Structure formats: structure tokens, C-alpha cells
Amino acid sequence: MNYVMNMMAFLLLFGFSSCQQETGGTKVNLTATEVKRLIESNQDIVVLDVRTPYEFQEGNLKGAVNIDYTSPDFEQEIAKLDTAATYLLYCKSGNRSSKATAVMKSNNFNNLYNATVGFDALRSAGVQTN
């Protein structure tokens, strides 16, 4: 009985540890350092800032496109994008970009990365800004 309980505990622990969001073997949620590396190594990536236009005007990642996640027409705006392109999403804290990533996945975008940290942390990590 003790063996069965230990095995169940192991399986549960293993299951929870593998909950990192991935698509096709690619890690989706990235730290600030990983974001910096990705942007520097991938010139074709589209950087999406999902903050409000006001937040975007206060500062943004170099080359970023602003599509406000809180806008009522967010899904209509992303529908105009190329679903085959590669996107990196970020916001102020990682919350809105995580939700926006989920919406984009449900709209057939497959090449998505989400910054789990916000704009300030990305700037502090040395990601180029405007």
C-alpha cells in the first residue's frame, strides 16, 4: 500500500512539474532573459504590446506593435494578423499578455511566445526600448 501511495505522489508531482505551457516542444512562457535572447536571435518575430495606447506611448519595446487587449475589438484586430508569423506578446506584468496569448491560440496562431514579466523588467534586462 505504501508503494502505491508513493507512486501516486510521484506521478502527481511529475504531472504538475510538466505544466509549463508548450507548443510543439517550444516553450511559450519566457523570462526577461529569454525574451532578450529571442528578440536578438529572431529578426522575423513580431513584438506585440497588448497594453493600452497610453501605456504604449509612455514607452515600448523597439519595433513593437500595439494592440490593446482590453479593447472591445481585440479579436478583430488580431484577425488581421498573419497566423503563420511568430509573435512575442508582452504587457505591464505578464497577466494581459498571457490572456492575449490564449485568445490568439484559440484563433489558430501557433507561433506564440509570452513574456511572463512586464515592460519594466524587460527594459531592466536590456531589451531595446523606444
Side-chain angles (χ1 to χ4, degrees), residues 14-48:
F14 179 75
F16 286 124
S17 68
S18 64
C19 286
Q20 169 66 43
Q21 188 177 1
E22 296 189 11
T23 57
T26 302
K27 184 175 179 184
V28 174
N29 292 314
L30 305 179
T31 65
T33 304
E34 291 168 329
V35 167
K36 184 175 189 293
R37 226 177 292 135
L38 177 68
I39 291 173
E40 290 173 350
S41 68
N42 190 342
Q43 301 302 316
D44 295 329
I45 196 159
V46 179
V47 179
L48 285 182

PDB file of all heavy atoms in Angstrom, residues 14-48:
ATOM      1  N   PHE A  14       5.157  14.755 -10.786  1.00  0.00           N
ATOM      2  CA  PHE A  14       5.666  14.811 -12.153  1.00  0.00           C
ATOM      3  C   PHE A  14       4.676  15.524 -13.065  1.00  0.00           C
ATOM      4  O   PHE A  14       5.052  16.346 -13.882  1.00  0.00           O
ATOM      5  CB  PHE A  14       5.952  13.403 -12.672  1.00  0.00           C
ATOM      6  CG  PHE A  14       6.459  13.390 -14.088  1.00  0.00           C
ATOM      7  CD1 PHE A  14       7.760  13.758 -14.370  1.00  0.00           C
ATOM      8  CD2 PHE A  14       5.618  13.035 -15.133  1.00  0.00           C
ATOM      9  CE1 PHE A  14       8.228  13.753 -15.676  1.00  0.00           C
ATOM     10  CE2 PHE A  14       6.069  13.033 -16.435  1.00  0.00           C
ATOM     11  CZ  PHE A  14       7.377  13.395 -16.718  1.00  0.00           C
ATOM     12  N   GLY A  15       3.394  15.231 -12.905  1.00  0.00           N
ATOM     13  CA  GLY A  15       2.363  15.858 -13.723  1.00  0.00           C
ATOM     14  C   GLY A  15       2.312  17.356 -13.537  1.00  0.00           C
ATOM     15  O   GLY A  15       2.227  18.121 -14.488  1.00  0.00           O
ATOM     16  N   PHE A  16       2.392  17.819 -12.289  1.00  0.00           N
ATOM     17  CA  PHE A  16       2.358  19.253 -12.028  1.00  0.00           C
ATOM     18  C   PHE A  16       3.626  19.944 -12.504  1.00  0.00           C
ATOM     19  O   PHE A  16       3.587  21.075 -12.950  1.00  0.00           O
ATOM     20  CB  PHE A  16       2.128  19.543 -10.549  1.00  0.00           C
ATOM     21  CG  PHE A  16       0.720  19.292 -10.107  1.00  0.00           C
ATOM     22  CD1 PHE A  16       0.465  18.419  -9.064  1.00  0.00           C
ATOM     23  CD2 PHE A  16      -0.340  19.901 -10.736  1.00  0.00           C
ATOM     24  CE1 PHE A  16      -0.823  18.170  -8.655  1.00  0.00           C
ATOM     25  CE2 PHE A  16      -1.640  19.666 -10.337  1.00  0.00           C
ATOM     26  CZ  PHE A  16      -1.887  18.795  -9.284  1.00  0.00           C
ATOM     27  N   SER A  17       4.757  19.276 -12.424  1.00  0.00           N
ATOM     28  CA  SER A  17       6.008  19.908 -12.846  1.00  0.00           C
ATOM     29  C   SER A  17       6.086  20.054 -14.351  1.00  0.00           C
ATOM     30  O   SER A  17       6.865  20.847 -14.859  1.00  0.00           O
ATOM     31  CB  SER A  17       7.211  19.122 -12.334  1.00  0.00           C
ATOM     32  OG  SER A  17       7.276  17.874 -12.978  1.00  0.00           O
ATOM     33  N   SER A  18       5.293  19.309 -15.086  1.00  0.00           N
ATOM     34  CA  SER A  18       5.331  19.406 -16.541  1.00  0.00           C
ATOM     35  C   SER A  18       4.223  20.291 -17.087  1.00  0.00           C
ATOM     36  O   SER A  18       3.900  20.222 -18.254  1.00  0.00           O
ATOM     37  CB  SER A  18       5.244  18.005 -17.155  1.00  0.00           C
ATOM     38  OG  SER A  18       4.007  17.415 -16.834  1.00  0.00           O
ATOM     39  N   CYS A  19       3.665  21.154 -16.260  1.00  0.00           N
ATOM     40  CA  CYS A  19       2.581  22.025 -16.695  1.00  0.00           C
ATOM     41  C   CYS A  19       3.055  23.283 -17.410  1.00  0.00           C
ATOM     42  O   CYS A  19       2.250  24.120 -17.750  1.00  0.00           O
ATOM     43  CB  CYS A  19       1.693  22.418 -15.514  1.00  0.00           C
ATOM     44  SG  CYS A  19       0.628  21.085 -14.964  1.00  0.00           S
ATOM     45  N   GLN A  20       4.363  23.436 -17.625  1.00  0.00           N
ATOM     46  CA  GLN A  20       4.871  24.585 -18.367  1.00  0.00           C
ATOM     47  C   GLN A  20       4.180  24.586 -19.729  1.00  0.00           C
ATOM     48  O   GLN A  20       4.158  23.587 -20.420  1.00  0.00           O
ATOM     49  CB  GLN A  20       6.393  24.468 -18.544  1.00  0.00           C
ATOM     50  CG  GLN A  20       6.990  25.450 -19.520  1.00  0.00           C
ATOM     51  CD  GLN A  20       6.872  26.881 -19.060  1.00  0.00           C
ATOM     52  OE1 GLN A  20       7.098  27.174 -17.904  1.00  0.00           O
ATOM     53  NE2 GLN A  20       6.506  27.745 -19.954  1.00  0.00           N
ATOM     54  N   GLN A  21       3.626  25.730 -20.089  1.00  0.00           N
ATOM     55  CA  GLN A  21       2.903  25.821 -21.346  1.00  0.00           C
ATOM     56  C   GLN A  21       3.877  25.685 -22.505  1.00  0.00           C
ATOM     57  O   GLN A  21       4.847  26.410 -22.614  1.00  0.00           O
ATOM     58  CB  GLN A  21       2.175  27.163 -21.422  1.00  0.00           C
ATOM     59  CG  GLN A  21       1.248  27.282 -22.588  1.00  0.00           C
ATOM     60  CD  GLN A  21       0.514  28.604 -22.564  1.00  0.00           C
ATOM     61  OE1 GLN A  21       0.719  29.429 -21.701  1.00  0.00           O
ATOM     62  NE2 GLN A  21      -0.337  28.794 -23.523  1.00  0.00           N
ATOM     63  N   GLU A  22       3.613  24.709 -23.371  1.00  0.00           N
ATOM     64  CA  GLU A  22       4.460  24.477 -24.522  1.00  0.00           C
ATOM     65  C   GLU A  22       3.597  24.241 -25.741  1.00  0.00           C
ATOM     66  O   GLU A  22       2.455  23.829 -25.645  1.00  0.00           O
ATOM     67  CB  GLU A  22       5.366  23.267 -24.295  1.00  0.00           C
ATOM     68  CG  GLU A  22       6.342  23.463 -23.159  1.00  0.00           C
ATOM     69  CD  GLU A  22       7.381  22.360 -23.076  1.00  0.00           C
ATOM     70  OE1 GLU A  22       7.474  21.556 -24.012  1.00  0.00           O
ATOM     71  OE2 GLU A  22       8.092  22.334 -22.081  1.00  0.00           O
ATOM     72  N   THR A  23       4.170  24.551 -26.905  1.00  0.00           N
ATOM     73  CA  THR A  23       3.517  24.236 -28.157  1.00  0.00           C
ATOM     74  C   THR A  23       4.520  23.540 -29.044  1.00  0.00           C
ATOM     75  O   THR A  23       5.545  24.095 -29.380  1.00  0.00           O
ATOM     76  CB  THR A  23       3.001  25.504 -28.879  1.00  0.00           C
ATOM     77  OG1 THR A  23       4.104  26.385 -29.084  1.00  0.00           O
ATOM     78  CG2 THR A  23       1.913  26.192 -28.117  1.00  0.00           C
ATOM     79  N   GLY A  24       4.240  22.308 -29.384  1.00  0.00           N
ATOM     80  CA  GLY A  24       5.120  21.573 -30.262  1.00  0.00           C
ATOM     81  C   GLY A  24       6.556  21.494 -29.774  1.00  0.00           C
ATOM     82  O   GLY A  24       7.480  21.586 -30.552  1.00  0.00           O
ATOM     83  N   GLY A  25       6.753  21.384 -28.472  1.00  0.00           N
ATOM     84  CA  GLY A  25       8.090  21.289 -27.929  1.00  0.00           C
ATOM     85  C   GLY A  25       8.759  22.634 -27.708  1.00  0.00           C
ATOM     86  O   GLY A  25       9.890  22.700 -27.272  1.00  0.00           O
ATOM     87  N   THR A  26       8.078  23.715 -28.036  1.00  0.00           N
ATOM     88  CA  THR A  26       8.635  25.055 -27.862  1.00  0.00           C
ATOM     89  C   THR A  26       8.060  25.681 -26.606  1.00  0.00           C
ATOM     90  O   THR A  26       6.844  25.708 -26.417  1.00  0.00           O
ATOM     91  CB  THR A  26       8.288  25.942 -29.075  1.00  0.00           C
ATOM     92  OG1 THR A  26       8.802  25.321 -30.247  1.00  0.00           O
ATOM     93  CG2 THR A  26       8.882  27.313 -28.929  1.00  0.00           C
ATOM     94  N   LYS A  27       8.925  26.219 -25.781  1.00  0.00           N
ATOM     95  CA  LYS A  27       8.485  26.885 -24.564  1.00  0.00           C
ATOM     96  C   LYS A  27       7.766  28.177 -24.941  1.00  0.00           C
ATOM     97  O   LYS A  27       8.267  28.982 -25.716  1.00  0.00           O
ATOM     98  CB  LYS A  27       9.710  27.174 -23.689  1.00  0.00           C
ATOM     99  CG  LYS A  27       9.381  27.767 -22.356  1.00  0.00           C
ATOM    100  CD  LYS A  27      10.638  27.916 -21.519  1.00  0.00           C
ATOM    101  CE  LYS A  27      10.309  28.536 -20.188  1.00  0.00           C
ATOM    102  NZ  LYS A  27      11.498  28.784 -19.390  1.00  0.00           N
ATOM    103  N   VAL A  28       6.600  28.402 -24.375  1.00  0.00           N
ATOM    104  CA  VAL A  28       5.789  29.561 -24.699  1.00  0.00           C
ATOM    105  C   VAL A  28       6.045  30.711 -23.722  1.00  0.00           C
ATOM    106  O   VAL A  28       6.199  31.853 -24.122  1.00  0.00           O
ATOM    107  CB  VAL A  28       4.284  29.194 -24.704  1.00  0.00           C
ATOM    108  CG1 VAL A  28       3.424  30.427 -24.886  1.00  0.00           C
ATOM    109  CG2 VAL A  28       3.990  28.185 -25.787  1.00  0.00           C
ATOM    110  N   ASN A  29       6.082  30.428 -22.443  1.00  0.00           N
ATOM    111  CA  ASN A  29       6.262  31.464 -21.424  1.00  0.00           C
ATOM    112  C   ASN A  29       7.738  31.700 -21.180  1.00  0.00           C
ATOM    113  O   ASN A  29       8.463  30.789 -20.810  1.00  0.00           O
ATOM    114  CB  ASN A  29       5.561  31.054 -20.127  1.00  0.00           C
ATOM    115  CG  ASN A  29       4.059  31.044 -20.304  1.00  0.00           C
ATOM    116  OD1 ASN A  29       3.494  31.969 -20.866  1.00  0.00           O
ATOM    117  ND2 ASN A  29       3.414  30.000 -19.835  1.00  0.00           N
ATOM    118  N   LEU A  30       8.175  32.948 -21.381  1.00  0.00           N
ATOM    119  CA  LEU A  30       9.592  33.277 -21.317  1.00  0.00           C
ATOM    120  C   LEU A  30       9.903  34.297 -20.229  1.00  0.00           C
ATOM    121  O   LEU A  30       9.120  35.221 -19.997  1.00  0.00           O
ATOM    122  CB  LEU A  30      10.052  33.845 -22.664  1.00  0.00           C
ATOM    123  CG  LEU A  30       9.796  32.998 -23.907  1.00  0.00           C
ATOM    124  CD1 LEU A  30      10.287  33.731 -25.146  1.00  0.00           C
ATOM    125  CD2 LEU A  30      10.464  31.638 -23.784  1.00  0.00           C
ATOM    126  N   THR A  31      11.079  34.156 -19.650  1.00  0.00           N
ATOM    127  CA  THR A  31      11.592  35.130 -18.695  1.00  0.00           C
ATOM    128  C   THR A  31      12.158  36.321 -19.469  1.00  0.00           C
ATOM    129  O   THR A  31      12.292  36.273 -20.700  1.00  0.00           O
ATOM    130  CB  THR A  31      12.715  34.516 -17.844  1.00  0.00           C
ATOM    131  OG1 THR A  31      13.826  34.222 -18.714  1.00  0.00           O
ATOM    132  CG2 THR A  31      12.258  33.259 -17.122  1.00  0.00           C
ATOM    133  N   ALA A  32      12.548  37.362 -18.763  1.00  0.00           N
ATOM    134  CA  ALA A  32      13.114  38.553 -19.402  1.00  0.00           C
ATOM    135  C   ALA A  32      14.377  38.210 -20.188  1.00  0.00           C
ATOM    136  O   ALA A  32      14.563  38.663 -21.321  1.00  0.00           O
ATOM    137  CB  ALA A  32      13.403  39.618 -18.351  1.00  0.00           C
ATOM    138  N   THR A  33      15.236  37.387 -19.614  1.00  0.00           N
ATOM    139  CA  THR A  33      16.476  36.994 -20.292  1.00  0.00           C
ATOM    140  C   THR A  33      16.175  36.206 -21.556  1.00  0.00           C
ATOM    141  O   THR A  33      16.806  36.407 -22.597  1.00  0.00           O
ATOM    142  CB  THR A  33      17.362  36.161 -19.336  1.00  0.00           C
ATOM    143  OG1 THR A  33      17.600  36.922 -18.158  1.00  0.00           O
ATOM    144  CG2 THR A  33      18.677  35.781 -19.983  1.00  0.00           C
ATOM    145  N   GLU A  34      15.198  35.309 -21.472  1.00  0.00           N
ATOM    146  CA  GLU A  34      14.818  34.514 -22.646  1.00  0.00           C
ATOM    147  C   GLU A  34      14.199  35.395 -23.725  1.00  0.00           C
ATOM    148  O   GLU A  34      14.436  35.182 -24.917  1.00  0.00           O
ATOM    149  CB  GLU A  34      13.850  33.403 -22.231  1.00  0.00           C
ATOM    150  CG  GLU A  34      14.508  32.332 -21.381  1.00  0.00           C
ATOM    151  CD  GLU A  34      13.519  31.385 -20.731  1.00  0.00           C
ATOM    152  OE1 GLU A  34      12.374  31.801 -20.403  1.00  0.00           O
ATOM    153  OE2 GLU A  34      13.888  30.210 -20.540  1.00  0.00           O
ATOM    154  N   VAL A  35      13.422  36.396 -23.328  1.00  0.00           N
ATOM    155  CA  VAL A  35      12.838  37.335 -24.292  1.00  0.00           C
ATOM    156  C   VAL A  35      13.949  38.085 -25.020  1.00  0.00           C
ATOM    157  O   VAL A  35      13.932  38.212 -26.244  1.00  0.00           O
ATOM    158  CB  VAL A  35      11.875  38.328 -23.598  1.00  0.00           C
ATOM    159  CG1 VAL A  35      11.525  39.490 -24.518  1.00  0.00           C
ATOM    160  CG2 VAL A  35      10.613  37.609 -23.137  1.00  0.00           C
ATOM    161  N   LYS A  36      14.907  38.580 -24.266  1.00  0.00           N
ATOM    162  CA  LYS A  36      16.027  39.322 -24.860  1.00  0.00           C
ATOM    163  C   LYS A  36      16.750  38.455 -25.882  1.00  0.00           C
ATOM    164  O   LYS A  36      17.022  38.880 -27.004  1.00  0.00           O
ATOM    165  CB  LYS A  36      16.993  39.787 -23.769  1.00  0.00           C
ATOM    166  CG  LYS A  36      18.133  40.653 -24.270  1.00  0.00           C
ATOM    167  CD  LYS A  36      18.967  41.155 -23.093  1.00  0.00           C
ATOM    168  CE  LYS A  36      19.977  42.189 -23.490  1.00  0.00           C
ATOM    169  NZ  LYS A  36      21.047  41.755 -24.318  1.00  0.00           N
ATOM    170  N   ARG A  37      17.052  37.221 -25.514  1.00  0.00           N
ATOM    171  CA  ARG A  37      17.725  36.279 -26.410  1.00  0.00           C
ATOM    172  C   ARG A  37      16.890  36.015 -27.661  1.00  0.00           C
ATOM    173  O   ARG A  37      17.415  35.973 -28.773  1.00  0.00           O
ATOM    174  CB  ARG A  37      17.995  34.975 -25.664  1.00  0.00           C
ATOM    175  CG  ARG A  37      19.388  34.459 -25.860  1.00  0.00           C
ATOM    176  CD  ARG A  37      19.695  33.194 -25.073  1.00  0.00           C
ATOM    177  NE  ARG A  37      19.719  33.446 -23.642  1.00  0.00           N
ATOM    178  CZ  ARG A  37      19.139  32.685 -22.731  1.00  0.00           C
ATOM    179  NH1 ARG A  37      18.489  31.601 -23.074  1.00  0.00           N
ATOM    180  NH2 ARG A  37      19.218  32.981 -21.465  1.00  0.00           N
ATOM    181  N   LEU A  38      15.587  35.808 -27.476  1.00  0.00           N
ATOM    182  CA  LEU A  38      14.706  35.527 -28.605  1.00  0.00           C
ATOM    183  C   LEU A  38      14.674  36.689 -29.586  1.00  0.00           C
ATOM    184  O   LEU A  38      14.805  36.495 -30.793  1.00  0.00           O
ATOM    185  CB  LEU A  38      13.279  35.232 -28.096  1.00  0.00           C
ATOM    186  CG  LEU A  38      12.229  34.998 -29.182  1.00  0.00           C
ATOM    187  CD1 LEU A  38      12.501  33.692 -29.920  1.00  0.00           C
ATOM    188  CD2 LEU A  38      10.838  34.991 -28.576  1.00  0.00           C
ATOM    189  N   ILE A  39      14.502  37.899 -29.080  1.00  0.00           N
ATOM    190  CA  ILE A  39      14.438  39.076 -29.955  1.00  0.00           C
ATOM    191  C   ILE A  39      15.758  39.261 -30.697  1.00  0.00           C
ATOM    192  O   ILE A  39      15.765  39.571 -31.891  1.00  0.00           O
ATOM    193  CB  ILE A  39      14.061  40.338 -29.147  1.00  0.00           C
ATOM    194  CG1 ILE A  39      12.603  40.238 -28.680  1.00  0.00           C
ATOM    195  CG2 ILE A  39      14.271  41.596 -29.972  1.00  0.00           C
ATOM    196  CD1 ILE A  39      12.175  41.343 -27.740  1.00  0.00           C
ATOM    197  N   GLU A  40      16.863  39.068 -30.010  1.00  0.00           N
ATOM    198  CA  GLU A  40      18.178  39.247 -30.638  1.00  0.00           C
ATOM    199  C   GLU A  40      18.470  38.184 -31.690  1.00  0.00           C
ATOM    200  O   GLU A  40      19.191  38.440 -32.644  1.00  0.00           O
ATOM    201  CB  GLU A  40      19.271  39.246 -29.568  1.00  0.00           C
ATOM    202  CG  GLU A  40      19.252  40.482 -28.704  1.00  0.00           C
ATOM    203  CD  GLU A  40      20.221  40.421 -27.529  1.00  0.00           C
ATOM    204  OE1 GLU A  40      20.785  39.337 -27.259  1.00  0.00           O
ATOM    205  OE2 GLU A  40      20.398  41.466 -26.882  1.00  0.00           O
ATOM    206  N   SER A  41      17.896  37.004 -31.534  1.00  0.00           N
ATOM    207  CA  SER A  41      18.197  35.912 -32.460  1.00  0.00           C
ATOM    208  C   SER A  41      17.161  35.724 -33.561  1.00  0.00           C
ATOM    209  O   SER A  41      17.383  34.962 -34.494  1.00  0.00           O
ATOM    210  CB  SER A  41      18.337  34.594 -31.694  1.00  0.00           C
ATOM    211  OG  SER A  41      17.089  34.197 -31.166  1.00  0.00           O
ATOM    212  N   ASN A  42      16.033  36.400 -33.482  1.00  0.00           N
ATOM    213  CA  ASN A  42      14.953  36.183 -34.440  1.00  0.00           C
ATOM    214  C   ASN A  42      14.468  37.514 -34.990  1.00  0.00           C
ATOM    215  O   ASN A  42      13.614  38.165 -34.405  1.00  0.00           O
ATOM    216  CB  ASN A  42      13.807  35.407 -33.779  1.00  0.00           C
ATOM    217  CG  ASN A  42      12.767  34.954 -34.773  1.00  0.00           C
ATOM    218  OD1 ASN A  42      12.683  35.456 -35.886  1.00  0.00           O
ATOM    219  ND2 ASN A  42      11.953  34.005 -34.361  1.00  0.00           N
ATOM    220  N   GLN A  43      14.996  37.893 -36.145  1.00  0.00           N
ATOM    221  CA  GLN A  43      14.643  39.181 -36.753  1.00  0.00           C
ATOM    222  C   GLN A  43      13.214  39.203 -37.304  1.00  0.00           C
ATOM    223  O   GLN A  43      12.663  40.267 -37.527  1.00  0.00           O
ATOM    224  CB  GLN A  43      15.635  39.520 -37.874  1.00  0.00           C
ATOM    225  CG  GLN A  43      17.071  39.608 -37.390  1.00  0.00           C
ATOM    226  CD  GLN A  43      17.257  40.645 -36.289  1.00  0.00           C
ATOM    227  OE1 GLN A  43      16.739  41.747 -36.363  1.00  0.00           O
ATOM    228  NE2 GLN A  43      17.993  40.276 -35.254  1.00  0.00           N
ATOM    229  N   ASP A  44      12.629  38.036 -37.526  1.00  0.00           N
ATOM    230  CA  ASP A  44      11.289  37.963 -38.112  1.00  0.00           C
ATOM    231  C   ASP A  44      10.170  37.972 -37.080  1.00  0.00           C
ATOM    232  O   ASP A  44       9.001  37.909 -37.440  1.00  0.00           O
ATOM    233  CB  ASP A  44      11.159  36.706 -38.977  1.00  0.00           C
ATOM    234  CG  ASP A  44      12.074  36.753 -40.183  1.00  0.00           C
ATOM    235  OD1 ASP A  44      12.342  37.863 -40.676  1.00  0.00           O
ATOM    236  OD2 ASP A  44      12.530  35.684 -40.622  1.00  0.00           O
ATOM    237  N   ILE A  45      10.507  38.047 -35.811  1.00  0.00           N
ATOM    238  CA  ILE A  45       9.480  37.992 -34.775  1.00  0.00           C
ATOM    239  C   ILE A  45       8.707  39.311 -34.722  1.00  0.00           C
ATOM    240  O   ILE A  45       9.275  40.385 -34.871  1.00  0.00           O
ATOM    241  CB  ILE A  45      10.091  37.647 -33.406  1.00  0.00           C
ATOM    242  CG1 ILE A  45       8.992  37.217 -32.439  1.00  0.00           C
ATOM    243  CG2 ILE A  45      10.891  38.800 -32.837  1.00  0.00           C
ATOM    244  CD1 ILE A  45       9.512  36.406 -31.281  1.00  0.00           C
ATOM    245  N   VAL A  46       7.393  39.198 -34.553  1.00  0.00           N
ATOM    246  CA  VAL A  46       6.540  40.373 -34.393  1.00  0.00           C
ATOM    247  C   VAL A  46       6.312  40.566 -32.900  1.00  0.00           C
ATOM    248  O   VAL A  46       5.798  39.664 -32.234  1.00  0.00           O
ATOM    249  CB  VAL A  46       5.185  40.192 -35.123  1.00  0.00           C
ATOM    250  CG1 VAL A  46       4.291  41.412 -34.919  1.00  0.00           C
ATOM    251  CG2 VAL A  46       5.401  39.904 -36.604  1.00  0.00           C
ATOM    252  N   VAL A  47       6.694  41.716 -32.394  1.00  0.00           N
ATOM    253  CA  VAL A  47       6.542  42.015 -30.975  1.00  0.00           C
ATOM    254  C   VAL A  47       5.220  42.741 -30.789  1.00  0.00           C
ATOM    255  O   VAL A  47       5.004  43.807 -31.365  1.00  0.00           O
ATOM    256  CB  VAL A  47       7.717  42.858 -30.447  1.00  0.00           C
ATOM    257  CG1 VAL A  47       7.529  43.170 -28.971  1.00  0.00           C
ATOM    258  CG2 VAL A  47       9.041  42.138 -30.687  1.00  0.00           C
ATOM    259  N   LEU A  48       4.324  42.136 -30.014  1.00  0.00           N
ATOM    260  CA  LEU A  48       3.003  42.726 -29.759  1.00  0.00           C
ATOM    261  C   LEU A  48       2.924  43.232 -28.328  1.00  0.00           C
ATOM    262  O   LEU A  48       3.080  42.471 -27.379  1.00  0.00           O
ATOM    263  CB  LEU A  48       1.888  41.697 -29.959  1.00  0.00           C
ATOM    264  CG  LEU A  48       1.514  41.304 -31.366  1.00  0.00           C
ATOM    265  CD1 LEU A  48       0.345  40.318 -31.339  1.00  0.00           C
ATOM    266  CD2 LEU A  48       1.159  42.513 -32.198  1.00  0.00           C
TER     267      LEU A  48
END
